[in-house]
Amino acid sequence: MDTATRLRQTVISWAAGDEDTPAPAEAGAARDLAAGLGLRTVVLVEGVSDRAAVEALAERQGRTLTAEGVVVVPLGGATSITRFLRLLGPDVLDVRPAGLCDAAEQRFFLQGLERTGFGTALVPEDLETLGFFTCHADLEDELIRALGADGVQQVIDDQGDLRTFRIFQRQPAQRERAVEAQLRRFMGTIGGRKEHYARALAEALDLTRLPRPLHGLLAHL
């Protein structure tokens, strides 16, 4: 297991616990791993699919995020943002946070940043200054709108799943929905598919026309 993976797992494991602050041993382990990486920024994203997309686009830009001292960590849900930020703050790792959030979840990010000392009296317009970029609905929506329905279906075809998607479209619950909504739902129907397609769609994007939140985040790092 490489150092970045160990750090990611350490952060996630502590955030899943009951303590408000890391125990000295946990904090020390996290600091040692961070020092080994030369860690300067932790990118907080909602789930593993968001992480897959960010890392895929960085790779396409010829970047190795861990070599730049950057690690992407999935939160497992926006409501846990405060716990993750506590570990990144000056009392533990003392590194810069950044990330992606959905418009509907901005309030959790604003509250978390204030509670952990990264800002005061914050409003949504402050998020980008702090390195947090907002997706209109979610990252899948951003990717689908950037590629267009036809472009996404071409990716699905390239992945060998087009016949499965056509069967899915004929389900009674899907027939009256817009194709963009069908595509978003299709990607979340089987475990692992969302992450797989986040990477596949990111690899199909025109690098000169990235969705605004992804472009902003990668430029910030």
Side-chain angles (χ1 to χ4, degrees), residues 2-163:
D2 62 34
T3 304
T5 300
R6 289 168 59 203
L7 176 66
R8 187 180 296 111
Q9 291 185 352
T10 298
V11 171
I12 292 170
S13 177
W14 175 78
D18 296 326
E19 299 298 324
D20 286 337
T21 57
E26 292 174 321
R31 289 192 192 100
D32 289 345
L33 291 167
L37 283 169
L39 186 70
R40 62 180 181 84
T41 303
V42 173
V43 181
L44 299 172
V45 296
E46 183 166 352
V48 293
S49 61
D50 306 79
R51 176 191 160 200
V54 170
E55 291 180 343
L57 286 172
E59 290 168 9
R60 290 189 61 206
Q61 291 180 340
R63 302 172 64 177
T64 303
L65 291 181
T66 53
E68 298 177 23
V70 178
V71 172
V72 184
V73 176
L75 298 169
T79 57
S80 62
I81 180 69
T82 300
R83 293 187 62 78
F84 282 84
L85 287 169
R86 283 197 183 108
L87 194 60
L88 307 187
D91 293 334
V92 188
L93 294 184
D94 194 20
V95 296
R96 181 178 69 161
L100 290 172
C101 70
D102 301 341
E105 294 163 346
Q106 283 183 331
R107 68 188 187 280
F108 298 118
F109 281 71
L110 292 168
Q111 291 168 359
L113 288 162
E114 286 193 7
R115 290 170 179 169
T116 52
F118 288 101
T120 57
L122 298 175
V123 296
E125 291 72 24
D126 295 323
L127 284 172
E128 291 194 2
T129 301
L130 295 170
F132 289 84
F133 298 83
T134 303
C135 298
H136 178 70
D138 54 27
L139 184 59
E140 286 73 28
D141 172 68
E142 294 283 354
L143 294 172
I144 290 168
R145 287 193 291 116
L147 285 168
D150 290 344
V152 175
Q153 289 177 88
Q154 182 59 59
V155 173
I156 290 174
D157 192 12
D158 293 342
Q159 299 297 310
D161 287 336
L162 189 60
R163 181 175 178 275

Side-chain angles (χ1 to χ4, degrees), residues 148-158 160-187 189 193 197:
D150 290 344
V152 175
Q153 289 177 88
Q154 182 59 59
V155 173
I156 290 174
D157 192 12
D158 293 342
D161 287 336
L162 189 60
R163 181 175 178 275
T164 303
F165 177 61
R166 295 291 182 239
I167 294 170
F168 174 80
Q169 286 182 298
R170 294 197 293 270
Q171 293 180 1
Q174 302 300 324
R175 289 174 189 163
E176 302 303 319
R177 304 182 76 189
V179 65
E180 291 82 3
Q182 293 172 340
L183 289 164
R184 284 181 68 197
R185 183 70 188 96
F186 175 74
M187 290 172 191
T189 53
R193 181 182 281 168
Y197 273 101

